[in-house]
Amino acid sequence: MLIHIAGVLTYDEVARVRASLAEGRFVDGNLTVGPVNQGIKSNDEFQRPGDRPMEADQIIGQAMMRNPTFQDFALPAKLPPPMYNRYGPGMNFEAHVDSPILGERNVFRADLSFTLFLTNPSEYDGGELIIDTGIGEQAVKLDPGDAVVYSSGRLNRVAPVTRGERLSAIGWLQSRVRDEAMREILSTSRLRPRACNSRPRPVEESRMARSGRPITVCTRSTPT
């Protein structure tokens, strides 16, 4: 199961996150890749200036924890700061499965993964996040401030960028419910009564290239 949550960040928060990242530097993403995924990743990743959380971390962490749809779907127990990656022309990340255990000093179980888009889709071509849903692939390319959350055990890849630059925050979290099937039952029952548009949006509106099952879409829950 995966979900598109619209408006996790306001437009002002997206601008603040991007401004925070512009003050630092990006390095070769292969410096952080594990041994299993060596040679299949081509991107740049933001180099943190130290161990302390950055302004961008705080903005995203607070936004996700205040979002009721994210809370109902993910049932988060641990939400470490995200990573920030950048894809330019010719860059991609081939099919892979995220590591089930992450962290160095603060180790946690990765039950769910998320990508929070920071670039307008009109600024780049390609770069879709493609997730294997189990019954087909689904390509995801969202507006800035929107997020997609999905099981960390799903095969996923990032299609090559052919024009422009794709910037996003990616992260993993440990849920209070480890079992995916049980978590899906609980999240479905919690999401159903929420006052959000739970029907799938048209392709043009949600920017989802649907080759798998429709995902749940929830509308903006924070002010712009």
Side-chain angles (χ1 to χ4, degrees):
M1 184 176 180
L2 60 157
I3 190 171
H4 162 204
I5 308 176
V8 174
L9 296 183
T10 66
Y11 300 123
D12 177 66
E13 287 170 332
V14 170
R16 289 168 58 198
V17 168
R18 294 188 61 163
S20 176
L21 298 180
E23 295 177 355
R25 63 189 293 259
F26 284 79
V27 297
D28 184 354
N30 280 299
L31 296 176
T32 61
V33 73
V36 176
N37 293 328
Q38 286 286 346
I40 66 171
K41 178 182 179 182
S42 173
N43 67 7
D44 296 326
E45 289 181 356
F46 186 80
Q47 186 176 53
R48 291 181 171 277
D51 294 333
R52 299 183 63 181
M54 308 183 305
E55 181 185 11
D57 300 335
Q58 296 170 345
I59 293 170
I60 291 173
Q62 291 170 5
M64 300 197 79
M65 294 305 288
R66 74 175 179 237
N67 188 288
T69 302
F70 174 75
Q71 290 288 329
D72 287 347
F73 179 79
L75 302 167
K78 296 181 181 180
L79 180 64
M83 297 175 64
Y84 304 92
N85 59 31
R86 181 178 66 189
Y87 290 82
M91 292 184 172
N92 72 309
F93 198 163
E94 296 178 20
H96 64 282
V97 174
D98 296 342
S99 175
I101 302 293
L102 292 170
E104 295 179 357
R105 279 177 275 183
N106 299 312
V107 178
F108 67 99
R109 188 183 67 244
D111 296 318
L112 292 166
S113 305
F114 70 85
T115 295
L116 179 61
F117 289 78
L118 299 173
T119 309
N120 194 301
S122 65
E123 297 180 41
Y124 65 100
D125 293 330
E128 295 85 0
L129 171 63
I130 302 173
I131 304 167
D132 187 345
T133 66
I135 57 172
E137 290 187 332
Q138 182 147 334
V140 183
K141 189 173 185 178
L142 302 177
D143 291 329
D146 287 11
V148 60
V149 187
Y150 58 96
S151 171
S152 298
R154 296 290 180 185
L155 198 67
N156 67 92
R157 57 191 170 95
V158 176
V161 169
T162 59
R163 176 190 67 87
E165 184 176 281
R166 173 195 190 268
L167 184 66
S168 63
I170 61 171
W172 302 267
L173 64 101
Q174 180 172 312
S175 175
R176 297 198 301 272
V177 180
R178 181 175 184 175
D179 183 81
E180 182 178 2
M182 182 59 68
R183 188 170 61 246
E184 183 169 344
I185 292 171
L186 289 172
S187 63
T188 299
S189 65
R190 290 162 68 96
L191 285 167
R192 185 175 293 117
R194 184 164 300 287
C196 73
N197 176 17
S198 59
R199 62 176 175 79
R201 287 182 177 177
V203 173
E204 295 78 11
E205 185 181 357
S206 67
R207 304 184 192 277
M208 296 287 177
R210 302 182 187 283
S211 57
R213 62 183 179 182
I215 66 171
T216 301
V217 179
C218 289
T219 54
R220 185 176 295 274
S221 60
T222 56
T224 60

